[in-house]
Amino acid sequence: MNPLDILQSFGGVARTSALLDAGISRRELRRFPSSVRQPKRGVYAAEGCHPGYFKAIMANAVLTCASAAEEYGLWLRMSPAVPHLAANHGHEPSSAVRHRGLRFPAQARLPIASLADTVIHALICLPASQSVPIATSALARGLSAEQIEHELRARRLGPALKAFRLVNTLVESEPEAEAWVILLALARRLGVSVVAQAMIPGLGRVDFLVAGWLIVEIDGVAFHSSRDSVRRDRARDNTASLLGYARLRYVPEVVWREPDRLASEVEAVLTGRLRVPKN
């Protein structure tokens, strides 16, 4: 692999020490083409390099929280407007969300926090509607729930621990994870049960079963993509009604953009009254 390809394998930006460890000689560093610049001593950046990696390395930091979640491919509804950076020093740039307390080794080649630190910072920084899906998908990737709970308890991060305990590893998508947070809060307030991925005899698995008789489904991206899927959904709706279940269906956009509508409509069915969400 030639030196430029090695640099590109780091996302187009890397420290001198990392490039030397990767097998590039100091003579080869001096022969990089003009498209590779040195924005500061000890850093090489190719044209079009990864902007998040560049900002992290320039700040002697690593990506974390929502920024690292995106790199890991965790459940994240949208990219963060500014990078989330973490370091054990106080010199991160003002145009970033700053995090402290890196407790685990970052990735070896790329400026990305460990999966554990990424989740912990998300639980501290983001609302539950965003941090719970991140944590849920991280646990599905093999992250230890006991490890995260231990760290949160040891650091006395009560609000973050409270959010982490909302995680339900049975949910199967980002919008389902957000819907779970909404439905769980509603169910607790009304004193009823809510079960994710409930199995109903004669019907099959449903996304959520509230109070034992209200089915709430979150349709996927490919919802109603064919006549066969429409027929299957209608048949399931009819079967649910014949079995005595009420049913509500929502597309992900309702979960993301109108969470109050979802909560008020579910409550309306459960209680027989509609609470109109405030504008």
Side-chain angles (χ1 to χ4, degrees):
M1 186 179 292
N2 68 51
L4 187 57
D5 287 339
I6 292 175
L7 178 59
Q8 294 295 354
S9 74
F10 285 89
V13 57
R15 297 182 180 89
T16 301
S17 59
L19 295 173
L20 292 174
D21 289 343
I24 298 179
S25 68
R26 290 192 180 276
R27 177 178 292 182
E28 288 173 320
L29 289 177
R30 292 193 293 269
R31 293 179 177 176
F32 268 134
S34 59
S35 59
V36 177
R37 60 193 177 97
Q38 279 191 273
K40 73 175 185 179
R41 184 177 180 181
V43 174
Y44 289 84
E47 200 172 90
C49 67
H50 190 296
Y53 297 172
F54 179 81
K55 196 146 196 172
I57 288 176
M58 291 296 288
N60 196 26
V62 294
L63 298 177
T64 191
C65 193
S67 295
E70 185 171 35
E71 296 299 318
Y72 280 114
L74 302 180
W75 289 345
L76 185 71
R77 188 197 316 169
M78 63 184 71
S79 301
V82 296
H84 290 245
L85 300 180
N88 290 323
H89 62 72
H91 308 295
E92 296 94 329
S94 58
S95 57
V97 179
R98 306 179 183 191
H99 294 269
R100 297 285 186 273
L102 288 168
R103 301 293 291 267
F104 304 95
Q107 286 196 16
R109 289 180 60 86
L110 300 176
I112 303 174
S114 67
L115 190 60
D117 276 324
T118 294
V119 170
I120 290 169
H121 288 151
L123 291 164
I124 295 169
C125 174
L126 304 175
S129 61
Q130 298 174 44
S131 66
V132 169
I134 289 173
T136 304
S137 55
L139 294 184
R141 296 264 305 261
L143 182 65
S144 166
E146 291 77 13
Q147 179 186 47
I148 299 302
E149 177 142 353
H150 172 77
E151 285 295 320
L152 296 176
R153 289 173 63 87
R155 294 163 64 179
R156 299 181 180 179
L157 296 169
L161 181 59
K162 182 178 180 181
F164 183 62
R165 287 175 175 169
L166 298 177
V167 168
N168 186 329
T169 56
L170 294 177
V171 299
E172 297 180 336
S173 68
E174 194 281 338
E176 281 186 35
E178 286 200 43
W180 167 255
V181 174
I182 296 167
L183 294 174
L184 184 60
L186 177 63
R188 286 175 174 174
R189 180 165 60 80
L190 297 179
V192 298
S193 64
V194 56
V195 179
Q197 293 299 309
M199 179 62 72
I200 298 177
L203 181 64
R205 197 175 300 278
V206 298
D207 291 340
F208 303 103
L209 182 64
V210 186
W213 57 271
L214 172 58
I215 297 168
V216 179
E217 298 267 41
I218 310 300
D219 292 315
V221 175
F223 172 58
H224 286 178
S225 59
S226 69
R227 289 186 62 83
D228 284 343
S229 66
V230 173
R231 283 194 290 268
R232 286 195 299 270
D233 287 336
R234 293 297 180 267
R236 278 173 58 86
D237 288 342
N238 293 344
T239 300
S241 296
L242 291 169
L243 291 172
Y245 293 91
R247 189 165 186 167
L248 292 173
R249 303 178 69 97
Y250 296 97
V251 295
E253 287 77 9
V254 173
V255 181
W256 296 331
R257 300 171 188 169
E258 302 177 85
D260 289 346
R261 172 188 158 193
L262 187 155
S264 66
E265 290 181 357
V266 171
E267 182 173 356
V269 175
L270 292 172
T271 64
R273 66 181 186 275
L274 178 64
R275 298 178 61 198
V276 180
K278 297 179 181 178
N279 293 328

